[in-house]
Amino acid sequence: MLNKIITSIKNFVHDPIGLRRMKRDLDTYYSLLKDDLHTARKETSKNFDEILLDYKKYAKKQEDKATFYCMSLEHIGDVLPDMIWMKWADTGKYAYANKSIRDGLLFDTDPVGKDDHQIGFAATEKFGASDHNFGAYCAGSDSVTIELGHRKRFIEYGMSGGKPLVLEVYKNVVRSTDNNDIIATVGCGRDITDNIFTMLKLAEMICPKN
């Protein structure tokens, strides 16, 4: 019976801590049912209903809060000039991509659920291989980050949409709260193309070739 009750309310509860607390409460009532099934059912039926109602309300509140946070983070991400993204570790598919990376590198308005190969192929078809080859020079940085298991800095470069692009990229891993396994990678890329070209021009002025 306990398993049926827990199964029936898993759809309403998304918080592991709340679920453990709920299971503890239900275990208490279940022990009462075992002691005196007929009497306990009458005495605790209301309590079961109250528990279910409380957790439905709690879950709804948590869901509303999570929705608000997600919308807020999405809006914040879209106004930032840096490129920000998240990919699932097992598939390499995007879980999130802000406006800067969608417009400046991926050239895809909805990259979620796609991997770099799918997105890069579409961009190459659009701009041509010589005008969009960014991924060819920086492939494998996700794997390096996952293998290291901590934050790593990269300089990634190539042609993006017909323009040269140099990014200073920081990547890190996201771990599961259950078993500490790596479930995703997150990245932040800053466009330093102008800085690089300015440094090159300055170097030519200070140390001319002739």
Side-chain angles (χ1 to χ4, degrees):
M1 188 176 84
L2 179 62
N3 291 334
K4 290 182 179 180
I5 295 173
I6 292 177
T7 301
S8 68
I9 59 180
K10 272 186 176 179
N11 294 329
F12 302 99
V13 180
H14 307 284
D15 177 38
I17 297 177
L19 187 58
R20 287 195 293 270
R21 188 186 303 116
M22 176 191 64
K23 186 178 183 301
R24 181 193 63 204
D25 293 340
L26 292 179
D27 281 336
T28 301
Y29 290 110
Y30 183 62
S31 64
L32 293 175
L33 286 173
K34 289 174 62 178
D35 294 337
D36 188 349
L37 184 61
H38 180 71
T39 304
R41 183 180 290 114
K42 292 181 179 180
E43 293 178 352
T44 61
S45 59
K46 184 178 181 181
N47 290 329
F48 274 121
D49 292 338
E50 289 177 349
I51 290 174
L52 292 176
L53 182 59
D54 287 344
Y55 275 95
K56 286 179 182 180
K57 291 179 179 178
Y58 171 77
K60 182 63 169 63
K61 186 182 294 183
Q62 293 298 100
E63 183 179 352
D64 291 344
K65 187 184 296 184
T67 301
F68 173 76
Y69 285 154
C70 289
M71 291 179 62
S72 299
L73 289 174
E74 185 172 353
H75 288 309
I76 292 171
D78 281 348
V79 300
L80 294 175
D82 292 344
M83 300 180 182
I84 302 173
W85 64 92
M86 175 179 174
K87 299 180 193 174
W88 297 117
D90 56 345
T91 63
K93 294 182 178 181
Y94 283 87
Y96 171 75
N98 74 338
K99 191 175 188 303
S100 291
I101 190 172
R102 293 198 306 266
D103 296 347
L105 179 59
L106 304 181
F107 301 100
D108 191 320
T109 58
D110 187 19
V112 173
K114 305 173 188 175
D115 58 28
D116 283 323
H117 177 74
Q118 295 169 300
I119 295 171
F121 179 79
T124 301
E125 287 287 299
K126 179 179 180 179
F127 296 104
S130 60
D131 284 335
H132 192 85
N133 54 20
F134 192 90
Y137 296 99
C138 53
S141 57
D142 287 342
S143 299
V144 172
T145 305
I146 292 173
E147 184 176 351
L148 290 174
H150 58 73
R151 191 176 78 154
K152 175 71 175 175
R153 177 179 179 267
F154 302 90
I155 298 296
E156 302 185 348
Y157 58 91
M159 295 296 292
S160 177
K163 299 178 182 179
L165 178 65
V166 183
L167 294 178
E168 180 184 26
V169 176
Y170 286 90
K171 293 187 177 182
N172 206 346
V173 296
V174 178
R175 296 182 181 273
S176 168
T177 56
D178 294 330
N179 51 26
N180 208 38
D181 286 347
I182 295 173
I183 59 174
T185 59
V186 291
C188 177
R190 177 162 295 181
D191 187 347
I192 58 171
T193 310
D194 291 342
N195 294 349
I196 296 297
F197 278 97
T198 299
M199 290 173 61
L200 291 174
K201 290 179 181 178
L202 182 60
E204 290 178 1
M205 292 173 58
I206 295 175
C207 302
K209 294 181 180 180
N210 297 327

